[in-house]
């Protein structure tokens, strides 16, 4: 990069120099608010519902790329039978038995606009996390080949109300580079929880990377939205602890660990968190990076397959969510190690 | 983020965001400018919960998004490609902002170098190359003649190049 204006993209400007004291006219403000809300796919009512909620912070760390192919669905009574694609995402063989604690459902919902189809296939989840397997199907005659594609607009809303959350889509291995289909896994969480609720996914402005301009260019315009209920039982296990731990440069209480096959949710509460929340760390920093958490299995091995770590802080409570690239066999967990203390699995 | 907070943010920063968008996109189409401004606040809405307002940093973050969104829109809209007419802004050194490790180091050096420029050179650089303000606007703001601004940009460019190399930017 040789041009100064391009380099300045990497310059973090000091606020004292930003003296752009212009204001918007009332009608401009109204129009911009309206457009913004529309893009966020939030009605006035939905946003109003969030009024009064206190400040929260949530951050999602980079997701490791994970691959999968093929889609075969099966649904059995009692245990949700994950498709081969979902199994592949969690690094399982297609003939591997599914853990009895897995909770999920088939969505089978398609939305089409201007020839572009969003095909939501299946979802697995727990109290705060969901993984949604979906395809993007381009109009007939369009080839979604060996390029990088992404939705510029990605939103997850919980219809019953959602204060904060994080989400991302991971592209899955494409076994046919000559067809008009790409498969993705949408990974999302909501600090207020998703269990038994209805989720709305909005994906839009599907774009392809153009190396000539070093940027993505839209190949599809507008949004594709679909709503689906998370009508499945979640069989995670909760362990109440109540022990003091060192966190956020002070002491707080490790309240509980909630474990499911797809995540560990650790709740802390106390003064050091409240203090930290009043003066949070710099932008880009996430406390989850400093939370030393591990799962020890009964055979003595450490379950070592984290892909996403996220934390949400509200007043004196901190919720840490750790997701994994493999399903956790919760029946074979011996203990957890959290911020220097050992918690046996019950 | 609540409805009220979003409204407040638009009221508080919307004007400045509009200025940045106009600086970069030009004032040809009100609808495009408002689209760009709304994109900025959509991005802010998505990330707002990462911030503590008392801690600060929100203003520069919002301006950074505005700059990025407007440039992004400009790149997507070839009709306006020539709108930003900057004097020769090439410093003839290929600095690596692609590699993550190099990017972090180079961004830090870039900040050191620009922040250590004497006033008003620092302001001129930022107004011109970060906010894309016109030479005339900068000269009026800093009570200098347009020629003085141009000269400072010209000399500052060489100074910037020299300082970046001396401080060991990764090429």
């Amino acid at each position: 990069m040789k041009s100064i204006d391009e380099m300045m993209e990497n310059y973090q400007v000091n606020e004292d120099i930003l003296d752009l004291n212009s204001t918007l006219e009332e009608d401009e403000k109204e129009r911009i608010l309206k457009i913004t809300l529309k893009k966020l796919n939030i009605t006035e009512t939905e946003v109003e519902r969030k009024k009064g909620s206190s400040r929260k912070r949530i951050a999602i760390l980079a997701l490791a790329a994970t691959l999968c192919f093929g889609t075969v669905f099966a649904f059995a009574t009692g245990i949700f039978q994950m498709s081969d694609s979902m199994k592949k995402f969690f690094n399982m063989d297609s003939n591997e038995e599914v853990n009895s604690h897995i909770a999920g459902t088939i969505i089978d919902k398609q939305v089409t606009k201007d020839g572009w189809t969003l095909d939501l296939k299946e979802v697995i989840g727990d109290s705060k996390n969901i993984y949604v397997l979906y395809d993007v199907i381009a109009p007939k005659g369009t080839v979604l080949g060996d390029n990088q594609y992404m939705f510029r607009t990605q939103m997850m809303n919980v219809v019953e109300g959602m204060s904060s959350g994080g989400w991302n889509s991971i592209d899955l291995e494409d076994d046919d580079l000559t067809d008009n289909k790409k498969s993705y896994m949408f990974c999302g969480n909501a600090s207020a929880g998703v269990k038994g609720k209805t989720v709305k996914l909005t994906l839009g402005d599907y774009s392809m990377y153009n190396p000539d301009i070093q940027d993505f260019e839209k190949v599809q315009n507008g949004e594709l939205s679909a709503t689906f209920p998370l009508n499945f039982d979640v069989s995670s296990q909760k362990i109440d602890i109540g022990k003091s731990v060192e966190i956020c440069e002070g002491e707080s209480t490790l309240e509980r660990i909630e474990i499911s096959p797809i995540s560990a949710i650790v709740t802390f509460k106390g003064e050091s968190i409240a203090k930290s929340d009043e003066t949070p760390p710099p932008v880009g920093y996430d406390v989850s990076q400093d939370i030393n958490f591990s799962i020890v299995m009964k055979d003595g091995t450490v379950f070592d397959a984290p892909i996403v770590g996220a934390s949400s802080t509200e007043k004196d409570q901190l919720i840490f969510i750790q997701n994994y690239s493999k399903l956790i066999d919760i029946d074979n967990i011996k203990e957890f190690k959290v911020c220097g203390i050992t918690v046996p699995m019950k | 983020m609540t409805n009220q907070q979003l409204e407040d943010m638009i009221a508080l920063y919307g004007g400045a965001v509009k200025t940045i968008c106009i600086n970069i996109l030009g004032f040809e189409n009100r609808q495009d400018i408002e689209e760009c401004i709304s994109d900025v606040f959509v991005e802010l809405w998505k990330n707002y919960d990462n911030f503590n307002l008392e801690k600060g940093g929100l203003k520069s973050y919002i301006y950074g998004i505005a700059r990025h969104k407007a440039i992004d829109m400009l790149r997507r809209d070839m009709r306006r490609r020539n709108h930003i007419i900057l004097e020769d802004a090439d410093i003839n050194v290929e600095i690596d902002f692609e590699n993550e490790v190099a990017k972090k180091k180079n961004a830090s050096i870039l900040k050191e170098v620009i922040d250590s420029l004497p006033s008003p050179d620092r302001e001129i650089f930022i107004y011109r190359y970060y906010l894309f303000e016109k030479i005339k606007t900068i000269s009026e703001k800093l009570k200098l003649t347009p020629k003085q601004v141009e000269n400072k940009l010209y000399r500052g460019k060489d100074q910037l190049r020299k300082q970046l190399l001396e401080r060991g930017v990764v090429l």
Side-chain angles (χ1 to χ4, degrees):
Chain A
M1 193 176 289
K2 293 192 287 186
S3 162
I4 300 169
D5 56 302
E6 282 176 0
M7 273 195 312
M8 292 299 266
E9 184 88 358
N10 302 284
Y11 173 69
Q12 198 182 352
V13 68
N14 293 330
E15 296 202 341
D16 59 346
I17 207 163
L18 300 173
D19 60 345
L20 302 169
N21 293 321
S22 48
T23 53
L24 295 175
E25 300 294 329
E26 279 306 312
D27 59 330
E28 271 184 305
K29 264 191 277 187
E30 275 176 35
R31 281 197 305 272
I32 289 162
L33 178 65
K34 203 173 163 188
I35 303 167
T36 308
L37 291 174
K38 193 180 170 200
K39 285 179 182 172
L40 287 166
N41 212 11
I42 298 170
T43 63
E44 295 280 348
T45 323
E46 271 180 300
V47 183
E48 283 296 326
R49 211 179 286 145
K50 294 177 194 164
K51 274 190 174 179
S53 66
S54 56
R55 186 173 58 81
K56 295 178 182 179
R57 291 182 286 123
I58 191 150
I60 269 213
L61 302 182
L63 290 159
T66 312
L67 310 171
C68 82
F69 11 57
T71 44
V72 179
F73 297 102
F75 210 359
T77 313
I79 303 169
F80 176 63
Q81 296 299 309
M82 291 163 59
S83 68
D84 286 354
S85 296
M86 192 69 95
K87 283 183 178 176
K88 185 77 181 174
F89 181 81
F90 286 104
N91 294 293
M92 295 169 72
D93 291 333
S94 56
N95 56 0
E96 208 169 319
E97 284 295 313
V98 174
N99 186 318
S100 64
H101 296 283
I102 278 290
T105 189
I106 300 290
I107 304 173
D108 191 22
K109 203 161 197 173
Q110 297 80 32
V111 187
T112 301
K113 188 181 175 187
D114 300 329
W116 287 83
T117 299
L118 173 66
D119 183 4
L120 301 182
K121 294 177 167 297
E122 66 183 298
V123 55
I124 63 166
D126 60 15
S127 65
K128 294 187 190 299
N129 302 275
I130 54 167
Y131 287 89
V132 181
L133 186 67
Y134 70 91
D135 285 347
V136 179
I137 304 162
K140 273 186 182 173
T142 305
V143 174
L144 298 179
D146 192 18
N147 287 307
Q148 224 183 318
Y149 294 88
M150 61 170 272
F151 279 109
R152 279 187 175 269
T153 301
Q154 293 192 39
M155 287 288 297
M156 174 177 125
N157 284 318
V158 177
V159 173
E160 290 83 355
M162 173 172 157
S163 50
S164 62
W167 50 82
N168 201 355
S169 281
I170 297 174
D171 49 335
L172 307 179
E173 186 172 302
D174 191 350
D175 55 351
D176 187 352
L177 296 173
T178 62
D179 69 3
N180 59 342
K181 192 189 81 174
K182 290 275 178 198
S183 301
Y184 296 88
M185 186 69 79
F186 182 93
C187 316
N189 66 38
S191 60
V194 293
K195 184 182 170 183
K197 295 181 179 173
T198 304
V199 167
K200 181 178 185 180
L201 287 194
T202 302
L203 301 165
D205 294 341
Y206 196 57
S207 304
M208 183 181 82
Y209 187 73
N210 178 346
D212 294 337
I213 59 166
Q214 298 186 338
D215 202 356
F216 283 84
E217 284 182 317
K218 268 198 272 186
V219 292
Q220 172 264 338
N221 287 298
E223 293 173 349
L224 296 156
S225 290
T227 303
F228 53 95
L230 302 175
N231 53 358
F232 48 82
D233 291 329
V234 172
S235 62
S236 49
Q237 289 192 22
K238 285 183 186 171
I239 304 157
D240 291 323
I241 302 154
K243 282 188 180 172
S244 182
V245 289
E246 284 280 330
I247 188 167
C248 299
E249 297 177 337
E251 282 203 354
S252 281
T253 304
L254 169 59
E255 295 229 304
R256 84 183 64 84
I257 297 173
E258 184 179 344
I259 187 87
S260 82
I262 59 170
S263 82
I265 302 167
V266 188
T267 306
F268 302 88
K269 200 168 185 176
E271 206 175 308
S272 66
I273 292 162
K275 207 175 281 178
S276 163
D277 197 40
E278 284 166 11
T279 52
V283 175
Y285 171 83
D286 178 31
V287 70
S288 60
Q289 296 164 40
D290 292 340
I291 296 173
N292 197 355
F293 176 82
S294 61
I295 301 172
V296 182
M297 307 305 289
K298 284 178 180 169
D299 64 4
T301 58
V302 173
F303 187 79
D304 188 21
I307 51 166
V308 183
S311 70
S312 166
T313 308
E314 184 186 3
K315 294 177 183 168
D316 63 345
Q317 180 175 271
L318 188 152
I319 297 171
F320 167 69
I321 302 175
Q322 180 68 62
N323 294 80
Y324 295 91
S325 60
K326 291 178 185 170
L327 296 177
I328 309 164
D329 180 2
I330 58 179
D331 293 331
N332 276 310
I333 293 174
K334 181 188 172 199
E335 62 196 18
F336 305 92
K337 291 191 185 298
V338 195
C339 300
I341 70 164
T342 301
V343 178
M345 178 73 174
K346 287 179 182 170
Chain B
M1 190 178 210
T2 65
N3 187 15
Q4 191 55 56
Q5 284 169 327
L6 181 63
E7 277 186 52
D8 291 347
M9 289 294 124
I10 291 173
L12 197 59
Y13 298 111
V17 167
K18 182 182 168 185
T19 304
I20 295 171
C21 293
I22 290 173
N23 285 347
I24 295 169
L25 294 168
F27 206 177
E28 295 168 28
N29 184 324
R30 189 196 78 189
Q31 204 179 336
D32 284 355
I33 296 292
E34 290 182 359
E35 278 293 325
C36 189
I37 299 170
S38 67
D39 280 349
V40 174
F41 289 101
V42 166
E43 191 73 21
L44 176 66
W45 188 91
K46 290 178 186 171
N47 296 293
Y48 183 78
D49 293 334
N50 290 321
F51 286 91
N52 178 351
L53 298 177
E54 295 100 36
K55 176 85 176 173
L58 187 62
K59 188 159 96 173
S60 58
Y61 177 68
I62 292 171
Y63 289 8
I65 303 173
R67 186 180 190 274
H68 182 79
K69 290 284 176 193
I71 291 172
D72 194 41
M73 187 181 259
L74 186 77
R75 282 176 182 152
R76 281 184 275 132
D77 188 348
M78 296 298 286
R79 287 171 302 161
R80 291 209 209 86
R81 184 160 274 275
N82 295 321
H83 174 74
I84 306 175
I85 304 167
L86 290 176
E87 53 288 326
D88 183 11
D90 194 333
I91 56 165
N92 298 316
V93 180
E94 193 75 47
I95 298 173
D96 187 357
F97 283 102
E98 298 298 323
N99 176 287
E100 277 306 310
V101 179
K103 182 180 175 177
K104 199 174 171 188
K105 186 184 176 191
N106 289 342
S108 168
I109 294 173
L110 180 69
K111 183 161 175 58
E112 275 173 28
V113 171
I114 290 175
D115 290 353
S116 66
L117 288 172
S119 188
D121 300 29
R122 179 174 80 111
E123 288 81 357
I124 291 172
F125 247 81
I126 292 167
Y127 293 155
R128 186 64 179 146
Y129 296 121
Y130 188 84
L131 299 175
F132 294 100
E133 292 197 324
K134 292 184 172 71
I135 301 277
K136 189 169 178 291
T137 310
I138 299 170
S139 67
E140 285 166 1
K141 203 184 260 187
L142 298 174
K143 297 185 173 47
L144 297 167
T145 65
K147 196 71 198 164
Q148 283 174 311
V149 173
E150 279 174 11
N151 286 341
K152 282 182 180 295
L153 284 169
Y154 180 76
R155 280 201 301 271
K157 195 179 70 176
D158 282 347
Q159 189 63 18
L160 180 71
R161 179 179 181 275
K162 196 175 153 205
Q163 287 278 321
L164 288 171
L165 291 173
E166 275 179 10
R167 293 185 193 219
V169 282
V170 182
L171 303 179

